Amino acid sequence: MKKLLLTLALIAGMAGFGFSAPASAQVYIRIGPPAPRHEYYRPRPGYTWNGGHWAWRAGRWIWVGGYWVSGRPGCQWIPGHWSRSWRGNYWVPAHWNC
């Protein structure tokens, strides 16, 4: 009986490791994104425009429209962008540099 319980506990523990993924997993895409679309917007005081971008979802490129971000005095907005490494293209999310 002890051997059976130990075996079941070991299998359950291994199953948990098999399905867990790191929260900050990086996805690399071999095909670069299409040319960005042009979005029209008017400046808004106190806000920064986060432009739209192409995202890789379900094996294809989809357009994600831009949106306004509330400004932070003394900080610089770094827009999200695609970067390239020897592994392929990867997305760097938009963020504030304070």
Side-chain angles (χ1 to χ4, degrees):
M1 185 67 166
K2 285 184 181 180
K3 193 172 187 178
L4 177 63
L5 290 175
L6 182 61
T7 304
L8 290 174
L10 182 62
I11 291 171
M14 289 173 56
F17 283 114
F19 294 108
S20 64
S24 61
Q26 190 70 29
V27 177
Y28 293 92
I29 311 299
R30 297 269 182 212
I31 305 165
R37 293 181 178 174
H38 186 73
E39 296 177 307
Y40 297 97
Y41 62 92
R42 290 185 184 176
R44 279 177 69 181
Y47 289 87
T48 299
W49 176 252
N50 184 40
H53 65 276
W54 290 102
W56 184 258
R57 305 264 168 77
R60 65 187 181 100
W61 292 106
I62 62 161
W63 180 255
V64 177
Y67 56 91
W68 290 103
V69 178
S70 182
R72 289 188 182 176
C75 298
Q76 179 186 9
W77 178 251
I78 309 296
H81 59 278
W82 283 96
S83 191
R84 188 162 177 73
S85 77
W86 64 273
R87 292 182 182 176
N89 298 299
Y90 63 96
W91 179 248
V92 178
H95 60 279
W96 288 104
N97 185 15
C98 296

